[in-house]
Amino acid sequence: MEEKEMQQTQDVQVRIRQANGENDVPEVSRLFNNYRIFYGQHSDLEGARCFIQDRFHNEESIIFIAELGEAGEGASAEAGSISQYSGESQVRAAGFVQIYPSFSSVSMGPIWVLNDLYVDSDYRKQGIARKLLQAVAREAQKHQIIRITLSTAVSNLHAQALYESEAYTQDQSFMYYERSVHSGNEA
């Protein structure tokens, strides 16, 4: 997808766009590696690169990138609109969201699992995570996705507040379980 959403935050523009495969592997891999470190994993940039490259190659996920550029670069756009952007100089990837398409058997339709959302620590508290969530919601509506599901750590109160402010609700109907299969901690 070549379209990009642009919103201005102070003197920096935030552009949310769908990652387009090989060209975006280095920056998405860097962000993905930092995301994994945030969740207590050891740095493995090469492993992150292979993982992200496989998701692109096998068309198994949808990734949106938040990019920052100096105000005045490229085309102007109203908040919430989609437009073309041509000024790629001085662009920095600040965050990403990764979605895994799936299906609901009961609803007999497509759903998205929002699996990963990350904003580099230097760019937090600037509304970038919210803009990523909003871009995902707009794209889901465009593709007639029934719902977007996500999970977060019980202790991550900031993320919970953000999700709830963007109309996500905590599931009160189902309890979710998981079983490790290949981690050496099998039950």
Side-chain angles (χ1 to χ4, degrees):
M1 179 168 119
E2 299 277 331
E3 298 176 336
K4 301 175 185 180
E5 171 196 339
M6 298 185 333
Q7 297 176 334
Q8 192 160 327
T9 304
Q10 297 168 352
D11 61 333
V12 175
Q13 272 184 344
V14 177
R15 292 172 301 283
I16 308 296
R17 68 172 178 85
Q18 188 171 343
N20 58 18
E22 292 299 318
N23 294 337
D24 290 314
V25 167
E27 278 300 284
V28 173
S29 298
R30 178 186 63 78
L31 291 166
F32 184 69
N33 188 55
N34 290 343
Y35 166 77
R36 294 183 69 252
I37 292 167
F38 178 81
Y39 278 102
Q41 301 300 307
H42 294 291
S43 180
D44 183 0
L45 189 55
E46 179 60 20
R49 186 194 61 75
C50 289
F51 184 86
I52 294 299
Q53 195 166 31
D54 285 349
R55 300 297 72 75
F56 281 132
H57 178 71
N58 297 323
E59 298 179 354
E60 294 171 333
S61 72
I62 301 164
I63 299 174
F64 290 90
I65 303 171
E67 295 177 325
L68 302 179
E70 296 303 317
E73 292 180 8
S76 62
E78 294 178 22
S81 68
I82 302 293
S83 67
Q84 294 296 320
Y85 179 78
S86 59
E88 294 301 327
S89 63
Q90 305 299 318
V91 172
R92 299 176 303 280
F96 81 103
V97 62
Q98 181 164 219
I99 296 121
Y100 293 110
S102 189
F103 293 92
S104 167
S105 299
V106 173
S107 300
M108 295 189 302
I111 63 170
W112 281 356
V113 178
L114 192 157
N115 205 73
D116 311 312
L117 172 62
Y118 178 77
V119 175
D120 263 341
S121 58
D122 291 343
Y123 305 111
R124 293 190 186 140
K125 305 291 185 199
Q126 298 179 35
I128 295 171
R130 181 178 306 281
K131 289 176 175 89
L132 283 163
L133 288 172
Q134 291 170 346
V136 168
R138 280 191 299 277
E139 197 70 13
Q141 187 170 15
K142 180 176 150 184
H143 292 285
Q144 300 181 332
I145 303 302
I146 294 170
R147 71 178 165 272
I148 302 165
T149 64
L150 61 81
S151 62
T152 191
V154 173
S155 62
N156 195 342
L157 301 179
H158 291 293
Q160 292 169 32
L162 172 63
Y163 299 144
E164 290 172 10
S165 74
E166 288 297 319
Y168 287 83
T169 57
Q170 189 174 21
D171 191 316
Q172 301 296 319
S173 301
F174 295 95
M175 293 180 65
Y176 293 91
Y177 295 88
E178 63 180 46
R179 180 178 191 266
S180 295
V181 177
H182 190 64
S183 67
N185 297 325
E186 291 84 6

